[in-house]
Amino acid sequence: MLIRPASVDDAAAIVLVAAGLGYKEEAAKHSAVQRLERLLGSNDDRAWVAELDGVVIGWLHAQHAFRMASADFIEILGLSVSAEARFKGAGRVLVEQARRWASEEHVTLRVRTNDIREEAKKFYLALDFLLVKRQSVFELSL
């Protein structure tokens, strides 16, 4: 398995892997390249892919987050591994990339997951993350 920084050429594969978690593939295809270009051009974002036999089987997006009233941190904003490749170590190795970045920046590593994603919660707990907060998300469509 190869872990490497994502490139714009990975956009379609990233969308395909994300679709396995229920993200809308058609909507994502429309702007995947533009979003990935923006992330790759950011000093505050990192994206990696896991590749097996030349095929992208997973990806992780993390961001160095800065807040007005609290210490900054690295946050995993997205992680997805294809159904066929789950439980084979790709997610763990991708998280290790984010962990390494947080260590280099001397900040904590955070991740949020939808409360209904029981497997994701078990995964992060198995990687020694601690549950430190529960919150509600509110949205205003404009």
Side-chain angles (χ1 to χ4, degrees):
M1 181 181 331
L2 171 69
I3 304 297
R4 62 172 175 76
S7 74
V8 173
D9 294 337
D10 296 317
I14 288 170
V15 168
L16 188 62
V17 171
L21 282 179
Y23 295 100
K24 293 187 167 91
E25 191 173 347
E26 286 308 312
K29 282 181 183 176
H30 176 69
S31 59
V33 171
Q34 293 86 357
R35 282 194 318 271
L36 192 51
E37 284 176 334
R38 185 173 180 178
L39 293 175
L40 297 176
S42 166
N43 290 328
D44 298 327
D45 292 89
R46 300 285 187 279
W48 296 276
V49 295
E51 209 177 80
L52 186 61
D53 299 325
V55 176
V56 172
I57 60 166
W59 58 268
L60 183 142
H61 168 217
Q63 182 181 69
H64 194 145
F66 301 92
R67 300 291 185 260
M68 182 69 77
S70 60
D72 55 321
F73 53 91
I74 303 288
E75 183 169 12
I76 297 171
L77 297 178
L79 169 63
S80 187
V81 175
S82 68
E84 308 80 42
R86 286 193 194 126
F87 306 106
K88 296 182 180 168
R92 180 183 44 75
V93 178
L94 286 163
V95 169
E96 185 55 38
Q97 290 294 317
R99 185 188 306 247
R100 210 170 294 136
W101 183 32
S103 179
E104 291 167 5
E105 297 291 321
H106 307 289
V107 297
T108 60
L109 178 61
R110 287 187 185 173
V111 63
R112 301 168 204 246
T113 186
N114 191 322
D115 214 32
I116 64 171
R117 295 194 189 275
E118 294 299 327
E119 291 301 316
K121 291 189 287 187
K122 289 177 189 174
F123 171 75
Y124 291 115
L125 289 170
L127 293 178
D128 296 328
F129 282 82
L130 300 174
L131 178 60
V132 296
K133 181 181 189 180
R134 291 187 185 269
Q135 63 187 151
S136 298
V137 175
F138 298 89
E139 183 173 271
L140 178 62
S141 295
L142 304 174

